[in-house]
Amino acid sequence: MLQRWAVHWQQDSGNLVLSGGQLFILFIGFKLQTLIGWQISLAVVGLTSFWAWYRNLKRHRTVADTPRSRIASAPQGYVVLTGRGQQPPGETLRSPVNGLPCLWYRYRIERRNGDKWEHVESGSSHDTFGVSDGSGQILIDPDGAEIMTSHQQVTNEGNYRKTEWTLIEGEPIYVIGEHVTLGGPNAVLSKSADMSTLLAEWKADKTALLARFDSNRDGEISLEEWERARHEASIEIDRAHLDIRLQDGIHLVRKPAHGQPYIVANREIKSLTAHFRLWSWIHLGLMLSALGGLTFAQRFV
């Protein structure tokens, strides 16, 4: 039980940072030792707690209420998918700290300066990775995702501390985001733009253009000959677009365009909903405590 709750705290650095910031604000209010200082500190804590409560409640309801889809039959748009993480074809991604293969990583390097740790370097991977549920495979774009993982490694080397978070191949992966198919039957193509590009390429090679379309061999392209060139370009673009649409598209989950939560986690749905419900209650308690503190402080005005 203790280990399970430790993982809950470990995985959500955003909530932990916010809670730590709120404690720091209260500490400042205490150090000021003035009524106005306490009132400002409690008001800031109340407002930030309200925002964090709403954010976690929204994620809890989104995860709990969005139905899960099979990858092979997943509709376009906002979906929930679960499966096992897979390396995509090509070179294997390796974490920069320990050099082990992984699907995704985030790292932070700090240097000790007296009693404090100073930020030196940080970063995260941007490579897509696969998730398979037996019915099919889909690619996950980690950019913009709220990634939650239980794999955290801290390494101390002299005055340096390296912290790394990873997702590992073969482990369960939960994803909620926007499913799109790039290319294939759903490819977004512009015939006019592609024709303009093709005709510009033909114009750039005047010798080939004249050899192909200068029917009277006068060394110039007349309006009639240019119309024939445009007709040939239209036929070539239509064939190219047909070839594209006949190919299989690339199925991808990415950050939604309309601000919905985009979450990737090595967690089961039940555990994830419990996680966001826990933090929503914690921030609700902080908000009510801050409001109670403000009411109490008003009595001394």
Side-chain angles (χ1 to χ4, degrees), residues 86-131:
Q86 288 188 345
Q87 288 279 5
E91 186 175 349
T92 299
L93 180 69
R94 294 186 178 275
S95 65
V97 173
N98 57 32
L100 296 177
C102 62
L103 302 177
W104 168 89
Y105 65 77
R106 182 173 70 244
Y107 71 94
R108 183 177 66 240
I109 300 177
E110 299 163 293
R111 179 176 55 238
R112 183 188 295 276
N113 184 5
D115 296 332
K116 299 180 179 180
W117 289 99
E118 296 180 343
H119 175 268
V120 175
E121 182 183 344
S122 61
S124 62
S125 63
H126 302 278
D127 295 2
T128 59
F129 57 89
V131 170

Side-chain angles (χ1 to χ4, degrees), residues 239-252:
R239 288 173 179 168
H241 285 187
L242 179 60
D243 289 341
I244 291 173
R245 296 190 189 282
L246 290 177
Q247 295 175 3
D248 292 334
I250 298 174
H251 299 284
L252 179 77

Side-chain angles (χ1 to χ4, degrees), residues 47-107:
L47 289 173
T48 55
S49 294
F50 173 79
W51 173 83
W53 165 77
Y54 175 77
R55 178 178 181 273
N56 282 278
L57 182 63
K58 180 179 179 181
R59 279 155 173 72
H60 166 65
R61 295 314 318 166
T62 299
V63 173
D65 296 342
T66 306
R68 183 170 57 176
S69 301
R70 298 284 286 172
I71 291 176
S73 57
Q76 300 287 292
Y78 202 57
V79 297
V80 167
L81 302 172
T82 60
R84 296 277 176 178
Q86 288 188 345
Q87 288 279 5
E91 186 175 349
T92 299
L93 180 69
R94 294 186 178 275
S95 65
V97 173
N98 57 32
L100 296 177
C102 62
L103 302 177
W104 168 89
Y105 65 77
R106 182 173 70 244
Y107 71 94

Side-chain angles (χ1 to χ4, degrees), residues 153-220:
Q153 179 178 351
V154 180
T155 304
N156 290 287
E157 298 178 359
N159 290 327
Y160 289 88
R161 180 173 67 185
K162 300 178 180 179
T163 307
E164 184 176 65
W165 299 263
T166 55
L167 292 174
I168 307 300
E169 183 174 19
E171 67 180 351
I173 299 291
Y174 167 95
V175 183
I176 182 167
E178 182 185 19
H179 173 216
V180 296
T181 300
L182 306 178
N186 298 317
V188 179
L189 304 172
S190 172
K191 183 174 180 178
S192 60
D194 290 345
M195 274 190 61
S196 296
T197 301
L198 181 59
L199 289 171
E201 293 175 357
W202 288 357
K203 280 185 178 181
D205 189 351
K206 188 173 182 180
T207 301
L209 182 67
L210 291 172
R212 185 173 179 181
F213 297 108
D214 184 16
S215 56
N216 59 9
R217 303 305 176 188
D218 64 351
E220 298 293 337

Side-chain angles (χ1 to χ4, degrees), residues 266-284:
N266 61 350
R267 305 275 289 274
E268 299 293 340
I269 294 179
K270 184 178 180 180
S271 174
L272 204 57
T273 54
H275 171 87
F276 288 122
R277 183 173 59 246
L278 168 67
W279 276 107
S280 68
W281 280 108
I282 289 174
H283 288 294
L284 179 62

